[in-house]
Amino acid sequence: MDELIAGLAAKPWALVVLAGLVFADAFLVVVPGEVAVTALGTVAVAHGLPPLWAVILTGAAAAFAGDVCCYLVGRLLHPHRWRILQRPTLQRALDGAARRLRTHAATAVFTARFIPFGRLAVNLSAGAAVVPAVRYLPIAAVAALAWAAFQALVGAAIAAIVPGGTVVAVLVSIAIALAVGWTVDVVLAKVRPAS
């Protein structure tokens, strides 16, 4: 099984699939972009292919491309008017993101980069609030790179620490990526009522 995973990861299309998943994750929060970067980071360290730097740069480029597209959608289509986003919780998320972008853009973007719906809300809100692209997009690019490096390095660390081969390391890295996401959701759910 380790050889099969290594063979698949060594294919040139492995990074294309990674980019597709991460890009889709910008719009569809159910797509496992984080898990894909973490798992491929694990394989990169365990087998050397694809190179870890390529996993990080591909993940970052795809995340940034998705963020730019969401920003443009917000700028051109004004998401506050969309019927699907009229639910009070979604409107509060968009309004809160717009407020934070006016005062603390870097903090909002970096924090939201690690929160699936938060990332979507901040990018759409930045576009809808007409945050200047020359101010917003460099922050989004650095945040995407930091996110991809973190996800891939978590996978790399797991590959270096966990015995049992690539399959075990990938499964552990996926479990940890899911646990971190779940923990963030729980913490945010506890913090929201107080704020």
Side-chain angles (χ1 to χ4, degrees), residues 5 7 21 29 39 42 48 54 59-60 64 73 75 105 116-117 129 131 136 140 163 165 167 169 171 176-177 188 190:
I5 291 172
L21 288 170
V29 296
T42 302
F64 179 63
V73 166
R75 188 98 180 226
F117 184 74
V131 174
Y136 183 74
V167 175
L171 292 175
I176 288 174
L188 288 175
K190 290 186 184 293

Side-chain angles (χ1 to χ4, degrees), residues 16-138:
V16 174
V17 170
L18 175 68
L21 288 170
V22 171
F23 181 79
D25 186 25
F27 301 95
L28 306 168
V29 296
V30 297
V31 175
E34 290 93 348
V35 171
V37 175
T38 303
L40 206 53
T42 302
V43 174
V45 167
H47 294 284
L49 287 173
L52 186 59
W53 64 265
V55 173
I56 293 170
L57 291 181
T58 301
F64 179 63
D67 292 351
V68 169
C69 287
C70 287
Y71 172 85
L72 291 173
V73 166
R75 188 98 180 226
L76 300 172
L77 302 178
H78 308 287
H80 286 285
R81 298 182 197 149
W82 298 352
R83 185 174 177 192
I84 193 169
L85 295 177
Q86 292 304 309
R87 293 191 309 181
T89 54
L90 297 176
Q91 283 295 312
R92 280 194 304 272
L94 289 169
D95 292 340
R99 275 192 310 278
R100 283 188 295 279
L101 285 166
R102 280 188 224 102
T103 58
H104 301 93
T107 303
V109 173
F110 271 82
T111 304
R113 183 84 218 95
F114 291 87
I115 304 166
F117 184 74
R119 168 171 64 240
L120 178 62
V122 165
N123 288 316
L124 287 173
S125 295
V130 194
V131 174
V134 295
R135 178 174 167 234
Y136 183 74
L137 296 180

